[in-house]
């Protein structure tokens, strides 16, 4: 069964890593990015010293459900006039909204700046609205955010929050090459923007090692996980039927994407015989959100709690340029039937400051973040998990099963 995740273990990044059975390394299958160096894999024997994750169901403090706002064509970034108001759309970022936020904001603010407004309105205060607002301020505009909910109550903070810039961002067929180029621009701009948050107090943006555990050598699994792109029946159904339909652009930024290392069998604290390590960026929601809000307010930004019921209400705002960032809610507000919900659920366990890594095993990922040990299960469905499902009710049994998988991964763990 193909797998892909809102986690550092995205199968599409594995395509360039050809590992011979038993852990021998081949560099021949490495992928070269747009002018960048190939990603490489190598074997290392040194065992990392790790503190164990304390995964047990009694340590679950929260279960969060989120809907990825997925559009087969990719996010909506076009403009339209409502009377004398210019509306710039910025919604529909699937499982990549956190990762692409700055790049997408740069595109939207560029369009706004061309109209030379002093004042700008932003609809929505999720990660897309907030970064759009901050970018507009950095470009010299006075900004008011109109939103139903403040940042800490949005769907954005119910996500995983890792660098996953091409997770369910589009389908290959309708998105096309032109979107690939735009995606690359957004991904690169975002990557650079996130780097300025590294090393700040509270670690708003951070990197962690991620260990992929397996009972089998990786070669067979990788081939299984990498179906040829572009197959499927999107055109006939309007809804993806198969994970191979999702667009993958990872090779375009291979030069800024860390590769992975393979451990010699038995040389890690884990009982699993095959272990591979990669490094990935992730976002700590509380501190990162705090930094964004602080910058927005310090630069004179205003927030008005308001719910819009139809597009025409935006034309009543005093600002005549509006960046529209309602996320999945655009399906109703803008009657955008192209928006497809992709449900996802995460369990949050008591934070463990002594643990600074993630693992992926048996379709479950766990990542230790400042605000909790986050565990996300995929039921083996990968990209197709939650497609078309708009239920935002937590399913505790699903989370308990995922926690149990992580608990078992630490049986036989060698500590110290
Ligand atoms: C389980 C899961 C894991 C994920 N993991 C990752 C990840 O690891 N990395 C990554 O990059 N992405 C991830 N995503 C995707 C990411 O969370 C989304 O792409 C992103 O949150 C979308 O942000 P947004 O600002 O567009 O929408 P939202 O967060 O939904 O914000 C919408 C805003 O609009 C406001 N609004 C809505 N309707 C109205 C209205 N009628 N009037 C006024 N205001 C309104 C809301 O109040 C809110 O402020 C994940 C998603 C899920 C579900």
């Amino acid at each position: 069964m193909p797998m892909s995740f809102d986690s550092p273990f995205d199968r599409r990044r594995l395509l360039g890593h050809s590992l011979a059975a038993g852990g021998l390394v081949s560099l021949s299958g490495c992928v070269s990015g747009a002018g960048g160096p190939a990603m490489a894999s190598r074997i290392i024997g040194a065992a990392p010293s790790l503190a164990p994750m304390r995964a047990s169901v009694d340590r679950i403090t929260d279960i969060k459900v989120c809907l990825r706002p997925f559009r087969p064509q990719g996010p909506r970034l076009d403009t339209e006039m409502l009377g004398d108001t210019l509306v710039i759309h910025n919604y529909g970022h699937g499982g990549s909204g956190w990762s692409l936020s700055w790049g997408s904001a740069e595109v939207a603010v560029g369009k706004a700046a061309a109209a030379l407004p002093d004042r700008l309105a932003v609809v929505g205060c999720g990660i897309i609205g907030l970064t759009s607002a901050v970018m507009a301020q950095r470009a010299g505009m006075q900004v008011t955010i109109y939103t139903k909910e403040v940042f800490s109550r949005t769907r954005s903070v119910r996500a995983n929050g890792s660098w996953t810039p091409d997770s369910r961002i589009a389908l290959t067929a309708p998105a096309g090459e032109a979107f690939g180029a735009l995606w690359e621009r957004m991904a690169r701009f975002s990557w650079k923007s996130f780097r300025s948050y590294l090393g700040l107090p509270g670690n708003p943006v951070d990197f962690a090692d991620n260990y992929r555990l397996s009972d089998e050598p990786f070669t067979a699994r990788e081939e299984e996980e990498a179906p040829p792109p572009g197959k499927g029946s999107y055109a006939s159904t309007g809804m993806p039927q198969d994970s191979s339909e999702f667009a993958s652009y990872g090779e375009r930024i291979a030069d800024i994407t860390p590769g992975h290392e393979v451990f010699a069998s038995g040389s890690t604290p884990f009982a699993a015989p095959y272990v591979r390590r990669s490094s990935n960026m992730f976002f700590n929601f509380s501190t990162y959100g705090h930094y964004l809000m602080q910058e927005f307010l310090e630069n004179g930004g205003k927030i008005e709690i308001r719910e819009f019921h139809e597009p025409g209400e935006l034309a009543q705002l005093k600002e005549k340029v509006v960046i529209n960032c309602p996320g999945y809610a655009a399906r109703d507000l803008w009657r955008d039937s192209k928006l497809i919900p992709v449900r996802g659920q995460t369990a949050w366990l008591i934070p463990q400051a002594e643990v600074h890594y993630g693992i992926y095993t048996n379709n479950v990922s766990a990542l230790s973040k400042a605000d909790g040990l986050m565990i996300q299960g995929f039921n083996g469905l990968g990209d197709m998990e939650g497609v078309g499902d708009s239920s935002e009710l937590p399913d505790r049994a699903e989370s308990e099963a995922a926690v149990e998988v992580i608990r078992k991964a630490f049986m036989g763990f060698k500590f110290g």
Side-chain angles (χ1 to χ4, degrees):
M1 183 62 72
M3 293 179 286
S4 183
F5 324 103
D6 298 303
S7 84
F9 304 103
D10 192 328
R11 69 172 163 77
R12 289 165 292 209
R13 285 177 44 208
L14 306 179
L15 284 166
H17 303 267
S18 174
L19 304 179
L24 292 174
V25 178
S26 158
L27 296 181
S28 59
C30 290
V31 171
S32 188
M39 293 189 287
S41 309
R42 61 193 170 91
I43 292 190
I44 50 174
S49 180
L50 302 172
M53 291 179 175
R54 296 168 66 190
S56 60
V57 294
D58 60 299
R59 292 174 66 86
I60 297 175
T61 57
D62 199 5
I63 296 174
K64 302 184 191 182
V65 180
C66 175
L67 302 180
R68 299 171 187 86
F70 173 72
R71 296 179 87 245
Q73 296 79 353
R76 186 168 181 198
L77 296 164
D78 62 331
T79 63
E80 66 180 283
M81 293 301 296
L82 285 178
D84 60 350
T85 301
L86 171 65
V87 177
I88 300 147
H89 296 293
N90 192 10
Y91 68 79
H93 297 75
S96 304
W98 279 87
S99 310
L100 294 179
S101 54
W102 289 111
S104 200
E106 193 240 358
V107 171
V109 169
K111 290 178 181 176
L116 301 175
D118 297 330
R119 293 189 309 198
L120 177 91
V122 172
V123 172
C125 195
I127 192 59
I128 298 294
L130 195 47
T131 48
S132 297
V134 168
M135 279 288 294
Q137 287 180 321
R138 291 178 186 176
M141 298 173 214
Q142 284 189 343
V143 183
T144 300
I145 296 177
Y146 298 89
T147 184
K148 198 168 82 167
E149 296 138 330
V150 291
F151 182 71
S152 58
R153 300 179 71 92
T154 61
R155 288 192 174 106
S156 287
V157 299
R158 293 183 234 143
N160 170 319
S162 297
W163 171 253
T164 60
D166 69 346
S167 169
R168 303 174 186 84
I169 187 64
L171 296 184
T172 307
E177 255 315 289
F179 179 65
L182 178 62
W183 176 90
E184 182 177 342
R185 172 180 155 191
M186 296 193 293
R188 288 183 184 278
F189 188 90
S190 295
W191 181 262
K192 269 197 195 305
S193 305
F194 286 125
R195 290 191 65 252
S196 66
Y197 290 89
L198 288 169
L200 291 176
N203 297 317
V205 176
D206 205 351
F207 274 84
D209 286 338
N210 287 278
Y211 296 87
R212 185 181 178 107
L213 317 180
S214 176
D215 292 332
E216 305 158 29
F218 288 111
T219 306
R221 292 173 63 91
E222 283 178 7
E223 283 166 7
E224 206 179 293
E225 290 162 16
K231 293 245 174 80
S233 52
Y234 162 74
S236 57
T237 63
M239 178 87 80
Q241 303 295 302
D242 189 278
S243 62
S244 65
E245 293 175 72
F246 286 95
S248 76
Y249 300 113
E251 297 101 274
R252 284 177 171 268
I253 57 166
D255 56 311
I256 55 168
T257 307
H260 59 246
E261 303 159 307
V262 180
F263 285 94
S265 199
S267 71
T268 77
F270 299 101
Y274 300 98
V275 179
R276 191 170 62 196
R277 178 171 70 183
S278 59
S279 299
N280 201 55
M281 188 162 65
F282 70 97
F283 320 111
N284 284 310
F285 296 145
S286 311
T287 40
Y288 183 48
H290 186 72
Y291 276 100
L292 292 177
M293 284 302 300
Q294 194 176 16
E295 179 175 347
F296 178 68
L297 296 173
E298 280 177 3
N299 287 326
K302 304 235 175 338
I303 296 187
E304 193 174 312
I305 300 299
R306 174 162 175 185
E307 180 171 1
F308 298 94
H309 299 93
E310 53 106 10
E313 291 173 33
L314 270 63
Q316 312 303 320
L317 296 174
K318 57 181 182 298
E319 296 86 359
K320 292 295 142 201
V321 179
V322 181
I323 301 182
N324 183 40
C325 317
Y328 178 70
R331 190 178 162 90
D332 289 336
L333 178 59
W334 230 266
R335 291 175 184 73
D336 186 346
S337 58
K338 294 193 178 78
L339 260 175
I340 295 170
V342 183
R343 181 188 186 280
Q345 176 171 306
T346 47
W348 293 77
L349 280 63
I350 297 170
Q352 278 188 263
E354 76 281 14
V355 175
H356 192 71
Y357 62 92
I359 70 168
Y360 172 78
T361 181
N362 290 313
N363 297 320
V364 178
S365 69
L367 177 63
S368 183
K369 303 177 82 170
D371 32 12
L373 176 64
M374 181 196 59
I375 297 184
Q376 186 175 10
F378 296 92
N379 293 325
L381 289 172
D383 277 333
M384 301 310 289
E385 184 88 29
V387 170
D389 184 352
S390 61
S391 165
E392 296 192 79
L393 289 177
D395 177 348
R396 185 166 176 102
E398 178 187 321
S399 283
E400 289 195 358
V403 171
E404 188 57 13
V405 168
I406 299 301
R407 188 186 70 76
K408 284 187 179 151
F410 281 89
M411 287 165 68
F413 183 83
K414 296 187 283 292
F415 183 28

